[in-house]
Structures are given as structure tokens and as C-alpha cells.
Amino acid sequence: MEDKEMTTEGDAYTRLEGKGIRPSVQRVAILGYLLTHRTHPTVEEVYNGLSHKIPKLSHTTVYTTLRMLAGCGLAQMITIDDHHVCYDGDASPHVHFYCTRCGRVLDLPNEKAPSLRGKKITSEGHIILSVQLYYKGVCHDCAQKEHIEA
Amino acid sequence: MEDKEMTTEGDAYTRLEGKGIRPSVQRVAILGYLLTHRTHPTVEEVYNGLSHKIPKLSHTTVYTTLRMLAGCGLAQMITIDDHHVCYDGDASPHVHFYCTRCGRVLDLPNEKAPSLRGKKITSEGHIILSVQLYYKGVCHDCAQKEHIEA
DNA sequence: ATGGGTGCAAAGGATTTGCAACATT
DNA sequence: AATGTTGCAAATCCTTTGCACCCAT
């Protein structure tokens, strides 16, 4: 547990350095949180999860840091839910699923994700820099609880 | 022009009836607006576009009606931009593009969209009810203005 | 010292809510 | 009358902003 935390913190530190971003305490903690919590946390959830360790942490820092991480490719911003933006520390292309019942955002590792090999141009001349494939519906757990048949 | 307006209004009326939704003046106008303005308007834009014709129209009604239209399949809710939800009167599956420079949401009719033939189940047992494929980047117009090379 | 990074409080927007009024059957 | 719909205003929630402080170089 301790070791895992340490490794992940170190991992976060290394990733930030690799992008030329100064690995401040807050940034390492926020990226570390994303790497250890694959639950697609919202800004609020990251803030709540870290405010114990960093009592003076501000919402502002969480907002700006998460946005920055998404901007430089160390995380993904997920806008699948119209109520809450959330983030994913796994920046590799994969499909996301939103359950309209319980509100969870889940990974769909078995679905094939559209990927961009470098910069891509559409037939209209638009430059594509990122892709997101979102599925919405009812997750397995909620379907069972509600006895929904396939 | 007049005729086109009339036809579209009638179209909206018919579509609502077809779903068993009472075609009130507001609902017909809002769906009609989506059908005539393929610019992926936000709630505010729909409100502004209709408040002349329907002076007493409220934001509440636009919010609830658009959400309802998306819920019953007469429109798509688009959450490609983390700042603004917008809506598309074309409910058929197609790819959307968001320009991070000008903020416009564009259709990509030439990209192949993942489609759901009826209800689909993932390997994890989740029930998929809708799909959205989003591309983000720089649109052709903005790329030219900024002299960005492909 | 100087620049980037952070925290705080306040402001700004977007969306929802409760309830009264209205329309339609 | 009864039900469903709408409008208004207030409340709520999310996010950004301005500025002062702090830390690291």
C-alpha cells in the first residue's frame, strides 16, 4: 500500500518532468490521484480526495491543473455527462460508458476505439487533434437491480 | 421562406405527435428551431432565437423541452464542449467536430459513425442506448486564418 | 529578485427548483 | 374540474477571475 502510493507518486513525478512541467506538490498529488483512482473523478472528487493530505489545496488549483494535464496529454477530459466534467489518468484512446441510472463513467476496454496516428485531416480540411467515443445507457449493475431484460 | 417555415413547423408538429408528445406552441417552435438551424445551438441560442416570436418564453421551458426532445430521440444532446451543452435536431448517428479556436460544433458527414442497430449489449453486460463520436481540433477556417500547415 | 505557482474570496454563468398561473381536455 | 404545461424568480451549483502571497530558482 505504502509502496504502491510511493511508486505512483514517483510515476506522476516522472510523467510531469517528461512533459517539462514543474512537478509541484499539488501537481504530483493530483496526477497521482488520477493514476490511482480509475473512477473518472470530477474536480470535486479529486479535491475531496486530496484535501486531507494537502489541507490548503484550493479548487482553483485542481481546476487549472486538471485542465492543464488534459491539455498536455497526461490525462483525458471526459464530457460524457452533461452535468459534470470528469478526468481520466489513462490518456490512451479507449471507449467510455455513462450509466444514466447511477451516473458512473466506466471504461469499455473491449470496444475498439478510434485512434489518431498523429495529426489527421478530415475531407473538409479540419485538423483533428483528439477523439472521444462515448456510449450511454444502463450499466450491468443497474440493469440487474431494475430487472431489465436484454 | 414562409412556406419553408410552415413546412418545418408542420414537420415539428408531426414528429411530436408521432412520439405521443403534446405539440404545444413552445415545443413545436423549439423543435422547429432545431430543424431549421443546423448550427448546434445552445439553450441560450434557442431562447434568443425564439423570444421574439414567443415573448413570454422562459429559459425553464427551453431547458426542459430540449432535454425531453433528446430523451425521446427527436434530437441529440451534444456535450463535446465542456462549457456549453448544445443540441442537434438531426437524431441520426453522425460525427461531430469541435473547433477549439472558434468554438463551433460542426457535422462530419463524411466520417463513418458508429451506429446502434437497436439495443446493444457490451461484453460486460451494459445496455447501450446511444452513441456519440466527438472529434476536437482546429477547423478549416481557423487553420487558414492562423496559417497552420497540415 | 523574479518568475511561476498557489490560495482565497468574490464574481460570473449555467441550470434547476418551487410554486403560481395558464391551457387543454 | 383535472391534468399537463409554462413562466417567473429565487436558489443552487459549477467554474472562472483578480489579486495577494509564497516558493523555487
Side-chain angles (χ1 to χ4, degrees), chain B residues 22 24 26-27 56-58 60-61 83:
Chain B
R22 190 193 294 182
S24 69
Q26 291 88 341
R27 288 170 177 171
K56 282 192 299 183
L57 184 66
S58 71
T60 310
T61 300
H83 291 311

Side-chain angles (χ1 to χ4, degrees), chain A residues 61-128:
Chain A
T61 300
V62 182
Y63 271 97
T64 58
T65 302
L66 286 173
R67 182 170 292 271
M68 186 261 293
L69 292 176
C72 73
L74 290 178
Q76 287 188 63
M77 178 191 291
I78 298 172
T79 58
I80 196 171
D81 174 12
D82 59 313
H83 291 312
H84 302 284
V85 172
C86 64
Y87 290 86
D88 190 338
D90 178 4
S92 69
H94 59 282
V95 185
H96 289 111
F97 177 86
Y98 175 71
C99 176
T100 54
R101 295 293 198 285
C102 63
R104 284 188 303 168
V105 175
L106 306 171
D107 289 327
L108 296 187
N110 298 324
E111 299 285 325
K112 51 182 170 299
S115 72
L116 293 176
R117 289 173 179 72
K119 201 181 289 186
K120 192 190 165 189
I121 311 284
T122 72
S123 55
E124 298 90 348
H126 307 133
I127 303 166
I128 301 178

Side-chain angles (χ1 to χ4, degrees), chain B residues 16 63 71:
Chain B
L16 288 167
Y63 272 96

Side-chain angles (χ1 to χ4, degrees), chain A residues 22 24 26-27 56-58 60-61 83:
Chain A
R22 189 193 296 180
S24 68
Q26 292 87 341
R27 287 170 178 172
K56 280 192 299 183
L57 184 66
S58 70
T60 310
T61 300
H83 291 312

Side-chain angles (χ1 to χ4, degrees), chain B residues 90-121:
Chain B
D90 179 3
S92 68
H94 59 281
V95 185
H96 289 111
F97 178 87
Y98 176 71
C99 176
T100 55
R101 295 293 198 284
C102 64
R104 283 189 301 168
V105 175
L106 306 171
D107 289 327
L108 296 187
N110 298 326
E111 299 285 325
K112 50 183 169 298
S115 71
L116 292 177
R117 288 174 182 74
K119 201 180 287 184
K120 193 190 165 191
I121 312 283

